[in-house]
Amino acid sequence: MMALGPEQLLFCFLGVLLGTLVGTLPGIGAAACISIVLPMTFGLDGLTALIMLSGIFYGSQYGSSTAAILLNIPGTSTAAVTCLDGYPLAQKGKAGTALLVTTIASFVGGSIAIVLLMAVSPVLANVALRFGSAEYFAVMVLGLVAALSMGSGSAAKGAAMTFFGLLLGTFGMDMTTGAMRYTFGFPEMTEGIGILVLTMGLFGISELLENVSRRHAPSAPAESYRLRAMLPDRQERRQMYGPCVRGTAVGSLIGALPGAGPTVAAFLAYSLEQKISRTPEKFGKGAIEGVTAPEAANNAAVQSAFIPTLSLGIPGDAVMAILLAAMTLHGIIPGSQFMTSQPDFFWGLIASFWIGNVILLALNVPFIGLWARITRVPHHYLSGVIAIFILLGVYSARNSLFDVLLAILIGVVGWGLTRNRYPLAPLILGFVLGPLLEEHFRRVMLISRGDLTALWGSELSLGLLLTAAGLALVTAWRQLRPRRRSASPVAP
């Protein structure tokens, strides 16, 4: 098989290793790394080049969870949801277990998505073709409704944070009219608030401020870093099975839709687990399910994102667009006949995904204990290093000092919100989905000449909107039920 050649194995290893490092270090990101490495692949054949570049993509998903769990710094936007329960687990002295769980969930999610890529790629491609702007609008509405109750606390606070995220997503230049919105006279705001600036501020800087406010922040309890000690116990393993399967399903479906991406998949998987859990109040406090589901989802989404790219020639996000450009530069033209016209290339690439996931498993598991020891460093030593990484990461994204100052401001706001028990996850999801929601709503209105019924004109969009309405009713009922119980008279 072509993927098992010495050259292919070497560049697969280099790709996933580089991706893991890029994911761990905040601010670089897979898209920037692939753009830098792309010119270096011109001397390679097309398959080897794509194997390496793809390895950077899915390898970064593995690495991004490390900083999220240990330091509450999401290496990528997809790891922001992992902070919610991964960091509390590390604070409880279970950093090693959390890292091992994310590695297992990522491997399982990616592996199942590869099977789907092999078996049902044409079917999922056809499903993706049925999605127009009305269907995408319905998916975004469903995601926003799911965000209303993310995190502990009231749905009212979740709704407030969701709308706050939607508002932040409107900052910058209107892509349709070119009008400037909420730039406050700063030319740096033309492109809006970067997702990295927002996540670094909300999670990283706000956590630093919280540690400083405590003065003597407690270190994580001591734990053993032997593999046997870090393995999840029987109860934790039971808590992993369902979320891993459901997260993989969500990630595989969402990843196959152009424009959705692993970030949306991770948040939706987390929200689903919180909705169906019998103990939703433990989410945000160190729930195994809150780590397993999003990690399985984002890795499954990365693998299934290749379905529309290879089958339809439609990139799902910025990273896939760069990979599509790389394929074109190497003379590879994806499309509906790609699997049959270039079977060796297609199956060689799929086989490399398997090999890459196995390499990632072998790379990550032995070093879990080493990474986990970071939590034993006293906070007054660690905080300065974390601050430097955050500020360098934010600055390197767009080489902008303004972004650094904006991240600090967002961090102060995020610290105040956390202090008042406002959940941050709905804000992030609202920020991510808001521009997509606006884009597809405008597109539907332009095509239908202002006819609102076009939003639910197809069976698929109508079904998704009805699901969103049902989910909203269930959320409202859950919030009102405790009040009714407390208001009911007590029998004498």
Side-chain angles (χ1 to χ4, degrees):
M1 187 178 290
M2 297 176 66
L4 294 176
E7 187 179 15
Q8 285 74 29
L9 289 175
L10 173 62
F11 282 96
C12 182
F13 173 78
L14 291 176
V16 297
L17 177 62
L18 186 57
T20 303
L21 295 175
V22 164
T24 304
L25 297 175
I28 302 176
C33 182
I34 292 173
S35 300
I36 294 170
V37 174
L38 178 58
M40 305 177 189
T41 66
F42 290 162
L44 303 174
D45 63 90
L47 177 60
T48 305
L50 198 60
I51 284 174
M52 181 182 180
L53 297 176
S54 301
I56 295 173
F57 186 21
Y58 57 81
S60 66
Q61 304 305 312
Y62 273 75
S64 62
S65 62
T66 302
I69 291 172
L70 298 178
L71 306 175
N72 205 33
I73 303 174
T76 62
S77 60
T78 58
V81 69
T82 306
C83 292
L84 300 178
D85 285 282
Y87 186 67
L89 279 170
Q91 294 299 98
K92 294 178 180 178
K94 297 182 73 67
T97 301
L99 289 170
L100 187 60
V101 166
T102 60
T103 302
I104 295 171
S106 299
F107 177 77
V108 172
S111 297
I112 295 177
I114 292 170
V115 174
L116 293 175
L117 185 63
M118 296 167 60
V120 296
S121 181
V123 176
L124 288 178
N126 290 330
V127 172
L129 279 176
R130 293 183 58 191
F131 270 71
S133 288
E135 288 74 19
Y136 278 112
F137 173 82
V139 169
M140 302 309 158
V141 170
L142 179 60
L144 289 174
V145 171
L148 296 181
S149 61
M150 286 183 70
S152 56
S154 67
K157 288 184 175 181
M161 297 301 287
T162 302
F163 287 116
F164 187 29
L166 288 172
L167 175 63
L168 294 179
T170 62
F171 286 23
M173 185 175 65
D174 187 327
M175 298 305 295
T176 303
T177 64
M180 297 297 173
R181 304 184 299 189
Y182 307 114
T183 59
F184 304 102
F186 293 104
E188 295 88 351
M189 287 291 291
T190 301
E191 299 179 18
I193 301 173
I195 181 65
L196 183 68
V197 174
L198 187 66
T199 54
M200 288 292 186
L202 287 178
F203 292 99
I205 294 177
S206 65
E207 180 62 26
L208 286 178
L209 292 174
E210 179 63 22
N211 289 338
V212 171
S213 68
R214 287 186 238 161
R215 294 187 180 179
H216 300 289
S219 299
E223 61 176 311
S224 173
Y225 300 118
R226 295 180 180 177
L227 180 60
R228 182 176 298 179
M230 293 188 296
L231 285 172
D233 57 34
R234 181 177 298 179
Q235 181 180 359
E236 290 171 336
R237 289 197 297 271
R238 289 177 179 174
Q239 293 170 344
M240 288 176 59
Y241 298 145
C244 195
V245 173
R246 288 186 291 268
T248 301
V250 172
S252 299
L253 180 59
I254 298 298
L257 302 177
T263 302
V264 177
F267 276 98
L268 289 180
Y270 184 91
S271 180
L272 173 63
E273 290 306 314
Q274 191 176 26
K275 290 289 184 185
I276 65 177
S277 174
R278 295 181 180 178
T279 55
E281 66 278 357
K282 69 180 182 180
F283 280 76
K285 301 175 183 177
I288 289 293
E289 303 96 311
V291 173
T292 306
E295 285 298 315
N298 67 44
N299 281 274
V302 166
Q303 304 293 347
S304 61
F306 283 89
I307 293 175
T309 304
L310 296 177
S311 301
L312 306 173
I314 302 174
D317 56 15
V319 179
M320 295 308 300
I322 297 172
L323 290 175
L324 183 63
M327 294 174 67
T328 305
L329 289 172
H330 284 277
I332 303 158
I333 307 300
S336 58
Q337 304 299 318
F338 179 73
M339 291 177 61
T340 55
S341 62
Q342 301 187 62
D344 291 342
F345 186 98
F346 179 82
W347 294 113
L349 183 62
I350 299 302
S352 77
F353 293 164
W354 277 106
I355 296 168
N357 274 272
V358 173
I359 293 174
L360 282 167
L361 193 65
L363 276 176
N364 282 269
V365 172
F367 293 102
I368 286 176
L370 178 63
W371 287 115
R373 283 183 172 84
I374 293 176
T375 59
R376 303 298 305 146
V377 179
H379 278 275
H380 57 276
Y381 293 128
L382 196 58
S383 295
V385 178
I386 295 173
I388 292 172
F389 272 115
I390 292 174
L391 298 180
L392 285 177
V394 171
Y395 180 81
S396 64
R398 295 193 292 195
N399 296 325
S400 171
L401 184 60
F402 179 85
D403 282 353
V404 174
L405 299 175
L406 185 59
I408 294 173
L409 175 62
I410 292 173
V412 174
V413 174
W415 177 52
L417 291 172
T418 304
R419 276 293 183 98
N420 291 278
R421 300 191 178 186
Y422 281 87
L424 300 180
L427 190 156
I428 297 291
L429 190 57
F431 179 81
V432 171
L433 295 183
L436 297 173
L437 185 78
E438 180 185 9
E439 175 190 348
H440 292 295
F441 176 79
R442 284 186 168 188
R443 194 173 295 169
V444 172
M445 291 298 98
L446 286 172
I447 295 173
S448 65
R449 297 183 178 181
D451 184 8
L452 285 173
T453 60
L455 293 173
W456 54 85
S458 69
E459 294 180 359
L460 191 54
S461 62
L462 179 61
L464 289 169
L465 290 173
L466 289 176
T467 303
L471 189 59
L473 291 174
V474 170
T475 301
W477 178 72
R478 283 186 174 182
Q479 290 292 316
L480 293 174
R481 184 175 57 176
R483 297 181 183 178
R484 289 180 178 179
R485 287 180 178 176
S486 60
S488 61
V490 180

